[in-house]
Amino acid sequence: MTDDSKVGTADIGVVGMAVMGSNLARNMAHKGFTTAIFNRTFAKTKDVMDEHGSEGDFVPSETVEEFVASLKKPRRIVMMVKAGPATDATIDQLTPLLEEGDILVDGGNSFFQDTRRREAKLRDMNLNFIGCGISGGETGALEGPSMMPGGPKESYEHIGPILEKISAQYEGEPCCTWIGTDGAGHFVKMVHNGIEYADMQFIGEAYELLKGIGVTPDEAADIFANWNEGDLDSFLIEITSEVLRQKDAETGKPLVDVILDAAGMKGTGTWTVQEALNLGVPAASIAESVFSRAVSSSPELREHAQAALEGPNGIKVDDREQFIDDIRRALWCAKVVAYAQGLDEIRVAGQEYGWDIDVAACARIWRAGCIIRAKLLDRISNEYAANNLVTLLEAPSIKAELAACQDSWRRVVARATEAGVPIPGFSSALSYYDMVRAPRLNAALTQGLRDFFGSHTYKRVDKPGVFHTLWSGDRSEVEIEA
Ligand code: 6PG
């Protein structure tokens, strides 16, 4: 430590001065916390000090030793480094310098199983590890993100008040709450991203349908802006309008028409689907959104299929305004299904991993700050708080609106299907709605087939037990001993 006056002065520290880290550190300083900052290369720390040093109390350090020593005890450190090996390397660099009771927060988009592993390792060292999902992008980090911390509950008492103060506020309530132990926070952030993918896929499908009936990007921007005034009010609908209105400086065309139609992804949506598969949770609308990005980014497949396949092209509608309103309703219904599937995944994971997650609280902290922030989330959190819901779809106000909107939803899916407009999200969400409400599913026939070719057995509707039909014998039924 070169400068003794810095020792034990900082309330909290941030490691990693890329844009998310520096914005979060600035947010902390803006809220009155003395904030220690450190980056692997000092140049970045220096840049932050040069550009923003006057915004609050920062304690910059050149070495990790100096950084750790500058913190008050128990030390509170938020790592804002790339998820994966860089996170492990930073943990290994910091832990030898930490003492019992210190708190290390991972604010990156880490995979929740990595968080569980890291939490267990640090617990063995008597250190507190918190995996904190942070949503809201660069602006959120600076002005108030939605924060989803998970880890040892005792440590939340030391770090929670700071996180709650720097998080977004919704009508005076912080968009941050303790989610559960070990990987719970990162799990919830992962599902947030899965819902984010689905939300964007549905918006994309709505736009394709509007295009199909001849709506221009400017007109569509107006339509989305108008939808943003009602039940669909959300950040993603708001920015859809802005993106659609944007013109390309080079060509003068709408920007959306010159952007290559190949969607990228960093993997959190894929994790959501993989984990849904592991848990046996039907999250097909989220899966469709991931697969849709995959289709868009498969040029060879698309090129060959375009050359080989025929189909209808172009939607015909009698009443344009009515169809536009149908799309709005279909978008709302599909969005509800994606929330239902994501929240179901959280509920089931909570049981599986012993997290005891409050689903109402998850919806509550998504009401502001995060990418999926939406007016609907206030209603969802109230519904979960007031009712013992297994699925969002049974919530009183939700089921009533789904019932009122479903004709529109069905019309949109039917029209799009007839016209050859791909709507994997809308139709998958509608199939989910129809499947979960069906008194009987085609699974009975599946069981019969499984029993035929593999003696996989089946249960009966009229008596307990496990049965098998002697398909290659006299086709009589035998009961299988338990
Ligand atoms: C957020 C976002 C963010 C995510 C980006 C990009 O909540 O602030 O979810 O964490 O990294 O949205 O995600 P993809 O590159 O996977 O689309």
Side-chain angles (χ1 to χ4, degrees):
M1 187 93 191
T2 45
D3 181 355
D4 280 351
S5 66
K6 284 176 14 181
V7 173
T9 56
D11 299 308
I12 189 159
V14 180
V15 178
M17 286 296 112
V19 63
M20 285 294 286
S22 60
N23 280 2
L24 201 71
R26 288 169 62 202
N27 180 357
M28 290 166 180
H30 296 169
K31 301 280 159 39
F33 299 108
T34 302
T35 307
I37 57 173
F38 173 72
N39 191 69
R40 203 166 41 87
T41 52
F42 185 63
K44 274 209 171 130
T45 308
K46 193 174 171 306
D47 287 347
V48 174
M49 289 310 292
D50 290 347
E51 286 167 41
H52 307 288
S54 60
E55 292 173 12
D57 273 340
F58 293 99
V59 185
S61 290
E62 277 195 59
T63 68
V64 67
E65 290 80 7
E66 202 184 333
F67 167 75
V68 170
S70 72
L71 290 155
K72 289 178 190 162
K73 294 178 188 175
R75 300 182 181 92
R76 293 169 286 212
I77 299 173
V78 181
M79 295 185 296
M80 296 298 290
V81 298
K82 205 167 169 343
T87 303
D88 284 309
T90 309
I91 292 171
D92 290 344
Q93 194 185 20
L94 287 164
T95 45
L97 305 168
L98 301 181
E99 291 165 29
E100 190 169 336
D102 286 350
I103 302 162
L104 193 53
V105 181
D106 172 13
N109 262 336
S110 292
F111 184 49
F112 80 102
Q113 294 286 22
D114 287 336
T115 305
R116 298 183 80 208
R117 167 178 60 78
R118 289 166 184 149
E119 196 277 328
K121 184 174 144 190
L122 265 72
R123 194 170 350 114
D124 282 348
M125 300 161 93
N126 290 318
L127 297 173
N128 294 298
F129 187 75
I130 291 189
C132 183
I134 299 182
S135 176
E138 297 167 16
T139 312
L142 183 63
E143 293 172 2
S146 171
M147 308 189 87
M148 296 148 252
K153 190 160 191 192
E154 322 75 73
S155 60
Y156 191 71
E157 139 194 5
H158 297 289
I159 189 89
I162 300 185
L163 300 184
E164 290 183 11
K165 204 153 178 207
I166 62 166
S167 75
Q169 310 290 312
Y170 180 87
E171 294 181 355
E173 281 182 59
C175 290
C176 173
T177 193
W178 181 75
I179 302 284
T181 51
D182 58 76
H186 273 140
F187 190 95
V188 168
K189 173 64 188 0
M190 173 189 83
V191 173
H192 164 284
N193 281 29
I195 295 172
E196 172 185 306
Y197 277 46
D199 247 351
M200 285 193 277
Q201 174 64 25
F202 300 147
I203 289 173
E205 291 178 16
Y207 175 58
E208 283 306 309
L209 288 163
L210 291 173
K211 260 176 41 183
I213 57 166
V215 169
T216 66
D218 271 334
E219 283 165 349
D222 291 340
I223 291 170
F224 278 100
N226 181 261
W227 289 354
N228 199 40
E229 303 291 312
D231 271 358
L232 283 170
D233 180 344
S234 63
F235 171 68
L236 285 170
I237 296 281
E238 179 193 327
I239 64 168
T240 296
S241 176
E242 294 196 31
V243 171
L244 289 173
R245 223 182 282 287
Q246 183 72 17
K247 300 287 173 297
D248 172 43
E250 216 171 298
T251 59
K253 291 183 185 162
L255 180 65
V256 69
D257 288 345
V258 297
I259 295 178
L260 184 72
D261 59 340
M265 52 184 160
K266 294 196 199 73
T268 45
T270 307
W271 293 343
T272 309
V273 178
Q274 283 169 337
E275 196 50 30
L277 291 170
N278 289 340
L279 293 166
V281 173
S285 70
I286 298 175
E288 286 298 350
S289 65
V290 176
F291 287 134
S292 295
R293 291 197 191 187
V295 171
S296 78
S297 298
S298 304
E300 203 182 8
L301 166 71
R302 290 178 62 189
E303 193 187 313
H304 281 251
Q306 269 173 50
L309 305 179
E310 287 177 15
N313 211 346
I315 315 176
K316 284 184 196 62
V317 286
D318 302 329
D319 185 339
R320 199 169 176 266
E321 290 313 307
Q322 169 67 41
F323 192 64
I324 292 173
D325 217 43
D326 281 347
I327 299 172
R328 177 182 64 80
R329 291 207 179 90
L331 180 52
W332 188 86
C333 292
K335 186 180 170 76
V336 165
V337 167
Y339 279 114
Q341 293 179 350
L343 293 172
D344 193 33
E345 184 168 343
I346 290 174
R347 180 183 66 85
V348 173
Q351 289 164 357
E352 175 73 19
Y353 296 108
W355 289 328
D356 192 23
I357 294 182
D358 178 354
V359 177
C362 294
R364 201 166 59 235
I365 61 169
W366 290 343
R367 289 178 304 175
C370 65
I371 304 296
I372 65 168
R373 61 186 181 263
K375 185 174 155 189
L376 177 61
L377 281 160
D378 191 39
R379 192 154 132 200
I380 294 178
S381 64
N382 291 337
E383 287 283 15
Y384 268 97
N387 304 291
N388 191 15
L389 302 178
V390 167
T391 172
L392 173 64
L393 303 186
E394 65 178 324
S397 74
I398 299 287
K399 70 176 181 195
E401 201 157 330
L402 286 169
C405 291
Q406 65 166 302
D407 284 352
S408 294
W409 192 10
R410 292 182 194 284
R411 269 198 297 274
V412 167
V413 170
R415 243 339 125 71
T417 308
E418 278 164 11
V421 177
I423 40 142
F426 282 0
S427 62
S428 162
L430 180 56
S431 289
Y432 177 83
Y433 176 90
D434 284 332
M435 278 184 91
V436 293
R437 73 183 185 86
R440 209 163 147 72
L441 296 170
N442 65 2
L445 180 55
T446 304
Q447 286 296 80
L449 297 171
R450 291 178 68 240
D451 191 56
F452 187 104
F453 64 69
S455 302
H456 293 299
T457 74
Y458 51 86
K459 289 183 179 169
R460 297 178 55 103
V461 293
D462 51 359
K463 55 183 174 185
V466 176
F467 300 90
H468 168 56
T469 290
L470 301 169
W471 297 104
S472 42
D474 64 0
R475 302 218 164 174
S476 60
E477 184 179 74
V478 291
E479 184 165 2
I480 308 295
E481 304 268 322

